[in-house]
Amino acid sequence: MNWNQRKESKNNKLNNVKRAGKQIDTEKIVDVLEQVLVPGDRVILEGDNQKQAHFLARALGMVDVHRVHDLSMVIPSIEDPNQIELFKRGIASSVDFSFAGPQSRALVELINQEEITINNIHTYIELYGRLFVDLIPDVALITAAQADADGNLYLAQNTEETPVLVEATAVKSGIVIAQVNEIVERVPRIDIPAEQVDLIVRVPEAEKPFPLFTRDPQKITEDQIMAGMLAIKGIYGKYQVKTLNHGIGYNTAAIELLLPTFGERLGLKGKVATNWVNNPTPTLIPAIEAGWVRSIYCFGGEAGMEKYIQQRSDVFAVDHYRNLKSNRVYAQIAGQYAIDMFVGATLQVDTDGNASTITADRLSGFGGAPNMGSDPHGRRHLTNSYQQIDGSYKQGRKIVVQLTTSRRWNHEPVFVDQLDAWKLKNRLAVDPIMIYSEDTTHIVSENGIANLYQTDSPTERRQAIAAIAGDTAVGQKCSEKERQVLRERGIVQTPQDLGIHRREATRDLLAAKSIDELVKISHGLYQPVKN
């Protein structure tokens, strides 16, 4: 019995690759991929939120499809059109992924044309875990900012999940190929040790991250401001939540810009929203500068925030050069077990309270929301805010908030009788639900707060959701009499119940009303990058 087949296969492939040390010629990358890949290989193609291996994705799309085909891809975040082309050409046939942003519509088209098999849509740490168990990779194509001659890699602001992708490949004798912007004598810090890297290729043109988490305050609506005010007073203040995560979007951006104004008026500074697991969103700058935020551990970086983070090392996790040290794996673990509240937005909520960002024409995946937006039964430490939510047989429960306006920007209702996602169910291996109803403690809209954890039955839960669903078809299912009963029991709280007047919910309440004002508040350290 030969117990070293993977190692021997790897060595045989690498022996055929012409290289200087670990460096291969940029012009030969397609030839190299054809030498190290065989049909059916499981290939990690790095796609993080901001960190995409564009060069390697393009090169993979240029291989001879007669030599390399039917690859089983692992792409954590599908963001690059070159990734889509792999399936159109038949180079790849299936994928395991977590999130798809701009390519969410293209994925649905591939499904409809039967050009792709979606193996599974994972949460992030679920996908990372499976790489060590039953999704063992044969090849990993990753991206880094710099490499030295030995092959040590520096990942700059966006460490993201690269270390775990490399580790899972290297420990099972897979081949790791890294594209780098430049090769230097000495990297500023070693994020990936040379012993885990087999080949490096310098890209013809340096690839830079693009702004992904920046939300322009000018686009925040009065309905989003109203929903934010309700959340701050009715949830943040009520439960005195200090540890939290915000999803990405204008709904949560509104809250971040309301903390130094509306939150200050309520006397909540130092009592809520002090310790974060979050992306470094520019809309947090006013709260940081006003002394609200004590710490932020980041999933990844954000273009334009580099200098600001360097000068706020007490708040952000940084290295000895004061550069951001992010890590998606650590942040996901912290987001699941170390925070008391998750606040996210969604595209649709059904009458039972299930939420999904998958629609009939968009397969956006789940990302990390199902991890952070669920009550971790393995948690054992207690906090005051955690204990305030009745956990029946437990001593508490994580607060999971879905924050949304009743209608989206295109006037489509968020609250619906049935999720559009179910139209794709026969093409997917799992239910297309991002946050399950039973994990959700609160839903907040501009019309009020539905305290779902206080409901006694599925029927009452549906009534509470309908009560804040506004002028949608779902909202019309709750009579004024039913709404009043729910208000009297504290299950539903309207702006009136919380002493908030709609005339207050104006843009004047935002701590910054434009990108320029964010720059000014940051003392010029935040330097926006145009996408």
Side-chain angles (χ1 to χ4, degrees), residues 364-474:
S364 53
F366 304 133
N371 290 125
M372 292 179 289
S374 64
D375 187 37
H377 289 197
R379 172 171 167 163
R380 291 297 180 268
H381 75 282
L382 301 177
T383 61
N384 289 334
S385 56
Y386 184 82
Q387 289 178 283
Q388 287 189 56
I389 304 296
D390 179 24
S392 60
Y393 62 92
K394 298 194 303 175
Q395 292 179 273
R397 183 176 174 183
K398 179 191 280 188
I399 301 169
V400 176
V401 181
Q402 286 293 296
L403 178 70
T404 181
T405 52
S406 56
R407 292 184 179 273
R408 303 207 301 270
W409 61 272
N410 59 2
H411 207 61
E412 288 291 318
V414 171
F415 296 95
V416 294
D417 288 313
Q418 185 181 57
L419 299 173
D420 284 355
W422 289 110
K423 297 175 183 178
L424 292 175
K425 177 63 177 75
N426 63 337
R427 308 281 185 90
L428 305 175
V430 296
D431 289 348
I433 293 174
M434 182 176 67
I435 306 290
Y436 283 102
S437 175
E438 55 263 34
D439 285 322
T440 306
T441 57
H442 303 76
I443 298 179
V444 183
S445 77
E446 76 277 15
N447 303 299
I449 301 174
N451 297 295
L452 300 185
Y453 77 97
Q454 294 180 223
T455 59
D456 295 328
S457 68
T459 298
E460 194 168 73
R461 193 179 189 86
R462 287 190 285 269
Q463 288 178 339
I465 294 168
I468 64 162
D471 65 350
T472 65
V474 172

Side-chain angles (χ1 to χ4, degrees), residues 3-153:
W3 296 98
N4 299 292
Q5 293 182 53
R6 287 181 67 87
K7 181 68 173 178
E8 291 174 3
S9 174
K10 171 181 177 175
N11 289 338
N12 289 335
K13 290 176 180 178
L14 291 177
N15 286 338
N16 293 325
V17 175
K18 185 179 180 180
R19 62 192 188 276
K22 293 187 176 182
Q23 187 174 356
I24 57 179
D25 290 339
T26 305
E27 296 79 12
K28 299 295 184 181
I29 184 60
V30 175
D31 294 337
V32 171
L33 292 175
E34 290 178 346
Q35 289 172 318
V36 302
L37 290 168
V38 297
D41 269 352
R42 180 172 290 114
V43 179
I44 294 174
L45 178 55
E46 183 164 25
D48 304 328
N49 275 331
Q50 288 185 313
K51 202 154 71 79
Q52 303 283 322
H54 295 294
F55 173 76
L56 288 174
R58 286 193 296 272
L60 184 56
M62 296 169 64
V63 299
D64 183 349
V65 72
H66 294 100
R67 295 184 60 180
V68 180
H69 54 83
D70 292 307
L71 300 177
S72 180
M73 305 301 298
V74 176
I75 310 176
S77 183
I78 302 174
E79 305 273 349
D80 185 353
N82 294 296
Q83 297 162 348
I84 299 297
E85 287 301 314
L86 299 176
F87 301 97
K88 290 184 176 181
R89 285 202 61 207
I91 295 167
S93 58
S94 65
V95 68
D96 288 272
F97 76 105
S98 293
F99 182 74
Q103 304 308 318
S104 58
R105 295 183 188 274
L107 271 182
V108 173
E109 292 176 6
L110 288 176
I111 291 173
N112 291 336
Q113 294 165 9
E114 299 184 349
E115 293 179 322
I116 191 172
T117 297
I118 306 295
N119 293 329
N120 278 287
I121 308 172
H122 303 75
T123 66
Y124 282 123
I125 54 177
E126 178 184 19
L127 180 60
Y128 309 150
R130 289 193 66 194
L131 296 177
F132 293 92
V133 183
D134 62 339
L135 288 181
I136 295 171
D138 298 298
V139 175
L141 307 177
I142 66 161
T143 179
Q146 296 177 343
D148 62 22
D150 293 327
N152 295 302
L153 302 182

Side-chain angles (χ1 to χ4, degrees), residues 48-51 155-160 209-214 248 278-282 297-306 309 316 324-328:
D48 304 328
N49 275 331
Q50 288 185 313
K51 202 154 71 79
L155 304 175
Q157 302 281 323
N158 289 290
T159 307
E160 293 263 0
F210 55 89
L212 188 64
F213 310 123
T214 299
I248 301 302
N278 224 67
N279 288 295
T281 56
Y297 189 77
C298 297
F299 302 88
E302 174 68 344
M305 287 287 284
E306 295 86 354
I309 290 168
F316 295 95
L324 179 67
K325 193 72 167 66
S326 64
N327 189 296
R328 183 167 297 280

Side-chain angles (χ1 to χ4, degrees), residues 285-300:
I285 289 173
I288 294 171
E289 294 301 301
W292 279 73
V293 180
R294 294 174 187 166
S295 69
I296 303 175
Y297 189 77
C298 297
F299 302 88

